[in-house]
């Protein structure tokens, strides 16, 4: 069985998930679920990044030791991801022994190969980014991301010889599809052109972190530590999981950390003589009324509140449809409500309930597969949509795949409007044609529900059940009859799967 190993960025444990972090996990989950339906043996890893100095500070404020604090935060993160129906197979905390062991093992390997050296370091350090900045990268002396004044830090540090890898990195960036979307690759090629610098991989004067094996007085810089989670999440280098799933097929990350993943991480792996991941996807940001969402700016939308208001799957659908997976987008509750009523309640939900009502009324709860004489073009259209959907999903163009699906759903509504089954039902001579029409619309619904399982797994399970199809655990697309080959439909009228929101009662 073909394997597919997918990861997301791990999150700083000092604040609870906001909609921006949730967006990334939802997108990765859609890909993981799609790959499982395609028949891949998928492993999906997420986790928390715990060795940052902000985490230590936050724990101190709460009068907890950092590990206790991190464990408490991990419980909250896991609960949030569960509430959003994220199907990760594992959740790694970087304070876990399995991660400490792997970071020390890889640091030693890279050190032994001569790619780590000691030197004094000074520079502008943004605590929120956990990153050093050069003078030229600051915006009016402030961190470009946080608009706060960085600290000037001087200490003896260990450095990773990133400069030794300029050539292999250049080659790698030119490998088709290694970094996507294309805009992110161009950004990194630009960095290569201006010249790489060796990167500090240690911090002195703190005990919260992973001690370096060649100097126990220093801890690993949080980024050097964090990147390695993708491997430590698989266990030891000679273990079953590592052999089965490494290299990763896809790292899903935010566009702000593309440099770490597209340059430093592959260089670390080359230095350690390990295979590099196959692809990196740097998604854009969700803004909130035009501003980047971040805790320090105080404009975060709480995904848990949105789940309470609208349900997990409505939120999943909305952000995947509204915010292109390769670009930035804006979030507002007003847009979510409008889209919910238009796309889910109206286009999809209403098509399902009215079609089932009509079949039940004109034919009965069971509709057998008719000979297709008049509506062969509809079957062809579903097949064509299937190809477009698959291409887009395979290219991780999730919003484009959804656009195609909604064209098909709209077409189902148009078919009913144009052919008026209620008129056909009055004419016994049209009986065969009516059955055919109802069958092809049911096929649109069945196919749409299957294709939308990765985005709305529970809702689509309900929809398939109404169509007489069971979505069993471990099912793949191939477990179901292909488009136009469903032998019969045994229908049952469901409760409203997407009840319309009454927007007139809003204050
Ligand atoms: Zn910053």
């Amino acid at each position: 069985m073909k394997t597919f190993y997918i990861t997301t960025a791990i999150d700083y444990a000092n604040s609870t998930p906001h909609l921006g972090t949730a967006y990334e996990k939802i997108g990765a989950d859609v890909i993981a679920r799609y790959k499982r339906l395609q028949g891949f043996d998928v492993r999906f890893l997420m986790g928390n990044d715990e060795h940052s100095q902000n985490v230590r500070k936050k724990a101190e404020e709460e009068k907890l030791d950092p590990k206790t604090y991190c464990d408490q935060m991990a419980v909250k993160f896991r609960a949030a991801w569960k509430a959003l129906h994220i199907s990760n197979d594992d959740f790694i905390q970087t304070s876990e022994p399995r991660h400490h062991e792997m970071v020390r093992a890889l640091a030693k390997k890279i050190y032994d190969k001569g790619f780590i050296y000691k030197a004094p370091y000074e520079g502008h350090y943004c605590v929120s980014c956990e990153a050093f900045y050069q003078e030229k990268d600051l915006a009016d002396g402030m961190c470009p991301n946080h608009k706060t004044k960085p600290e000037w830090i001087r200490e003896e540090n260990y450095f990773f010889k990133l400069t030794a890898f300029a050539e292999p990195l250049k080659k790698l960036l030119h490998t088709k599809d290694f970094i996507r979307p294309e805009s992110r690759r161009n950004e990194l090629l630009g960095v290569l052109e201006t010249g790489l610098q060796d990167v500090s991989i240690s911090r002195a004067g703190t005990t919260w972190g992973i001690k370096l094996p060649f100097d126990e007085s220093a801890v690993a810089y949080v980024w050097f530590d964090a990147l390695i989670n993708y491997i430590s999440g698989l266990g030891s280098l000679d273990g079953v999981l590592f052999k089965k799933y490494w290299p990763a097929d896809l790292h899903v990350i935010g566009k702000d950390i593309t440099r770490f993943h597209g340059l430093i991480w592959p260089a670390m792996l080359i230095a350690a003589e390990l295979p590099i991941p196959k692809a990196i996807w740097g998604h854009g940001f969700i803004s909130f009324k035009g501003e980047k969402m971040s805790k320090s700016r105080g404009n975060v939308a709480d995904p848990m509140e949105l789940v309470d208001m609208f349900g997990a799957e409505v939120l999943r659908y909305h952000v995947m449809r509204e915010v292109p997976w390769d670009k930035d987008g804006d979030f507002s509750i007003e847009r979510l409500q409008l889209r919910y009523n238009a796309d889910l309640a109206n286009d999809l939900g209403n098509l399902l309930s009215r079609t089932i009502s009509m079949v039940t009324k004109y034919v009965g709860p069971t509709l057998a597969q008719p000979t297709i004489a008049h509506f062969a073009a509809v079957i062809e259209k579903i097949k064509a949509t299937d190809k477009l959907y698959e291409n887009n999903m395979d290219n991780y163009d999730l919003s484009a795949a959804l656009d195609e699906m909604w064209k098909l759903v709209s077409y189902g509504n148009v078919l009913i409007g144009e052919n008026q089954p209620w008129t056909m039902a009055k004419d016994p001579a049209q009986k065969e044609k009516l059955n055919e029409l109802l069958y092809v619309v049911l096929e649109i619904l069945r196919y749409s529900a299957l294709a939308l399982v990765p985005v709305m797994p529970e809702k689509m399970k309900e929809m398939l059940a109404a169509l007489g199809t069971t979505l069993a655990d471990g099912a793949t697309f191939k477990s179901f009859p292909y488009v136009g080959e469903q032998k019969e439909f045994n229908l049952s009228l469901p409760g409203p799967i997407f009840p319309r929101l009454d927007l007139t009662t809003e204050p």
Side-chain angles (χ1 to χ4, degrees), residues 247-442:
D249 292 271
L250 183 64
H251 291 319
V252 174
I253 55 162
K255 64 175 180 178
D256 55 334
I257 54 176
T258 316
R259 288 182 191 201
F260 291 100
H261 285 79
L263 299 173
I264 300 174
W265 178 227
M268 283 165 63
L269 290 166
I270 298 168
E273 295 179 342
L274 290 171
I276 47 185
K278 291 177 199 160
I280 293 168
W281 185 275
H283 64 79
F285 289 142
I286 293 193
S287 53
F288 194 69
K289 291 170 184 146
E291 272 219 326
K292 183 186 170 185
M293 224 179 277
S294 81
K295 200 88 185 177
S296 52
R297 292 188 188 188
N299 63 351
V300 290
D302 181 352
M304 291 305 95
E305 272 175 33
L306 295 169
V307 167
D308 286 344
M309 287 165 77
F310 303 103
E313 305 207 342
V314 171
L315 179 63
R316 287 168 64 103
Y317 169 73
H318 177 71
V319 294
M320 283 296 107
R321 186 83 199 279
E322 182 84 3
V323 184
W325 190 227
D326 59 340
K327 296 191 185 72
D328 297 341
D330 207 46
F331 175 84
S332 77
I333 287 184
E334 295 74 26
R335 286 285 301 159
L336 185 152
Q337 290 173 322
L338 290 174
R339 195 177 266 296
Y340 173 89
N341 271 351
D343 295 5
L344 298 176
N346 231 22
D347 288 356
L348 185 62
N350 194 30
L351 181 64
L352 177 76
S353 53
R354 75 203 277 221
T355 307
I356 293 181
S357 307
M358 284 190 288
V359 178
T360 311
K361 191 169 164 195
Y362 306 142
V363 185
T366 302
L367 177 68
Q369 180 185 28
T371 308
I372 302 292
H374 302 87
F375 294 102
V378 180
I379 299 295
E380 290 314 309
K381 187 164 176 90
I382 305 173
K383 288 180 181 170
T385 301
D386 180 47
K387 287 211 175 64
L388 291 168
Y389 164 84
E390 198 177 351
N391 275 342
N392 283 314
M393 291 298 282
D394 287 343
N395 288 325
Y396 310 131
D397 200 343
L398 311 180
S399 32
L402 285 176
D403 287 346
E404 293 304 331
M405 291 314 304
W406 250 262
K407 281 184 207 160
L408 183 67
V409 170
S410 303
Y411 178 64
N413 283 302
V414 168
L415 267 179
I416 288 186
E418 282 179 353
N419 290 284
Q420 305 200 345
W422 47 92
T423 313
M424 291 164 82
K426 289 177 193 149
D427 178 4
Q430 297 221 57
K431 175 100 186 89
E432 302 273 297
K433 192 178 172 188
L434 173 64
N435 281 2
E436 226 189 283
L437 171 68
L438 294 170
Y439 178 86
V440 295
V441 176
L442 287 173

Side-chain angles (χ1 to χ4, degrees), residues 126-130 133 143-148:
C126 172
V127 179
S128 296
C129 291
E130 298 277 355
Y133 282 98
C143 163
N145 286 329
H146 293 95
K147 319 284 178 214
T148 50

